[in-house]
C-alpha cells in the first residue's frame, strides 16, 4: 500500500496591473528546497515546466458627454445622451466617430456641430474621422465633450409685383456666395426648407463658395444649417424688365440686384421684390431736370413745326 499526500502551497506573482490581457509565463526552471519532516531529511524538487497565469488588464472609466447651446451662450449637458459605463485600459486610445456625432440622435434639429474637447476643455482635433483621448488611470475624469450650437436661420423670399398669369411658374435665378470671417470660401452641402415644408433640400457651394437657387413668385427658402457668423452675399440674375428692391434684415431697403456682404449674426430675413418697368428718380434729382428739359424741347419743336 502506497500512501501519497500533497501539501498545498502558493506563489506570489508580481505583475503590472496595467499589463495587457493574456497568458504570462512564470518561474521557468525553479527549484523548490524544503525539509521533509516525515523522513527527516532535506529534499529538492526541480521544476522544468513553465507554469502560466492568465491576467486580465485593469480598466478605467471614461465618458462621452453631449452639450447643447440653448441660445443663451451657455452649453447644457444632455443627460439622456450621455454615454457612461465605458471602460478602457490605461494609455488606451478611445474615440468618438464623426458618424456618431453627426447622426440624427445627437445632431438635433436646429443645431450645428461645433467642436470636441477633453476633460481639461482643451480642443481635440479630428484625425481619421475620429475625436480621440488617451485614457489615463491618474486622470480626474477622462471625458470626451461634444458641443453643438443653436443654428441661425437665413430666409430669402421672392415677390414679383403685378405678376402676369403666364409668369406664375417662372423661376428667378440667384447666386449665393459664402465666406468665413477670414474671407475664405465656405464649401459643402447645406440644407434649406422651401415654403415652410417638411422636406430638406440641398444646395452645394463649390470651391469658390458659390451656390445657386431658383425661386418662383412668393417662394421663401430658409437655410437651417449654415455656419454661424459667416459672411454672405446674394445676387439676383437676369433681372431685365424689372427694378429690384432688396429689404435687409434690419428693415432698410434699396434698389439693387445684389446685397452688400452681410454677416449671419442671428436669424435673418431678406426679400427681393421685382417691380415691372422703371421707377422715376426722386423729386429734385438731375434726372428729373433732364426728363423735364426733354419734354419742353419736344413741345417747342412741335410749336415751331
Amino acid at each position: 500500500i502506497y500512501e501519497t499526500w500533497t501539501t498545498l502551497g502558493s506563489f506570489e506573482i508580481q505583475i503590472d496591473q496595467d499589463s495587457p490581457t493574456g497568458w504570462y509565463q512564470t518561474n521557468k526552471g525553479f527549484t523548490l528546497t524544503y525539509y521533509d519532516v516525515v523522513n527527516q531529511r532535506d529534499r529538492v524538487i526541480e521544476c522544468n515546466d513553465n507554469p502560466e497565469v492568465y491576467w486580465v488588464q485593469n480598466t478605467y472609466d471614461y465618458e462621452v458627454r453631449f452639450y447643447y447651446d440653448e441660445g443663451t451662450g451657455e452649453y447644457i449637458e444632455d443627460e439622456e445622451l450621455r454615454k457612461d459605463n465605458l471602460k478602457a485600459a490605461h494609455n488606451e486610445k478611445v474615440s468618438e466617430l464623426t458618424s456618431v456625432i453627426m447622426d440624427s440622435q445627437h445632431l438635433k434639429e436646429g443645431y450645428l456641430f461645433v467642436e470636441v474637447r477633453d476633460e481639461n476643455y482643451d480642443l481635440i482635433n479630428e484625425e481619421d474621422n475620429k475625436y480621440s483621448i488617451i485614457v489615463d488611470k491618474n486622470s480626474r475624469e477622462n471625458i470626451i465633450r461634444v458641443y453643438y450650437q443653436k443654428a441661425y436661420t437665413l430666409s430669402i423670399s421672392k415677390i414679383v409685383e403685378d405678376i402676369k398669369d403666364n409668369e406664375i411658374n417662372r423661376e428667378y435665378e440667384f447666386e449665393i456666395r459664402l465666406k468665413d470671417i477670414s474671407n475664405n470660401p465656405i464649401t459643402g452641402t447645406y440644407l434649406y426648407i422651401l415654403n415652410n415644408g417638411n422636406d430638406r433640400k440641398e444646395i452645394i457651394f463649390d470651391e469658390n463658395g458659390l451656390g445657386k437657387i431658383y425661386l418662383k413668385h412668393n417662394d421663401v427658402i430658409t437655410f437651417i444649417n449654415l455656419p454661424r457668423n459667416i459672411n454672405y452675399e446674394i445676387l439676383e440674375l437676369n433681372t431685365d424688365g424689372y427694378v429690384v428692391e432688396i429689404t435687409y434684415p434690419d428693415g432698410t431697403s434699396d434698389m439693387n440686384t445684389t446685397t452688400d456682404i452681410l454677416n449671419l449674426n442671428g436669424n435673418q430675413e431678406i426679400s427681393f421684390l421685382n417691380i415691372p418697368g422703371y421707377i422715376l428718380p426722386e423729386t429734385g434729382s438731375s434726372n428729373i431736370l433732364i426728363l423735364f428739359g426733354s419734354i419742353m424741347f419736344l413741345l417747342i419743336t412741335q410749336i415751331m413745326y
Side-chain angles (χ1 to χ4, degrees), residues 234 236 243-262 270-275 279 282:
I234 307 170
E236 183 175 1
V243 173
V244 180
E245 181 182 44
I246 301 175
T247 301
Y248 293 90
D250 63 1
T252 62
S253 61
D254 65 14
M255 298 297 182
N256 210 331
T257 58
T258 183
T259 66
D260 299 325
I261 296 175
L262 304 173
I270 293 181
S271 69
F272 284 76
L273 171 65
N274 284 20
I275 304 170
I279 296 179
E282 293 180 4

Side-chain angles (χ1 to χ4, degrees), residues 69-75 228:
D69 179 357
E70 297 297 329
T72 62
E74 297 180 358
Y75 286 93
R228 289 167 59 132

Side-chain angles (χ1 to χ4, degrees), residues 102-129:
M102 301 299 183
D103 67 19
S104 58
Q105 180 185 13
H106 300 90
L107 188 56
K108 296 179 178 180
E109 180 71 29
Y111 284 85
L112 299 173
F113 165 72
V114 180
E115 61 194 11
V116 179
R117 294 183 177 269
D118 62 17
E119 65 183 49
N120 298 314
Y121 297 93
D122 292 330
L123 188 67
I124 301 175
N125 293 317
E126 181 185 3
E127 184 177 350
D128 298 328
N129 198 39

Side-chain angles (χ1 to χ4, degrees), residues 7-13 27 32:
T7 299
L8 297 179
S10 63
F11 291 99
E12 179 179 323
I13 300 172
N27 303 311
L32 176 64

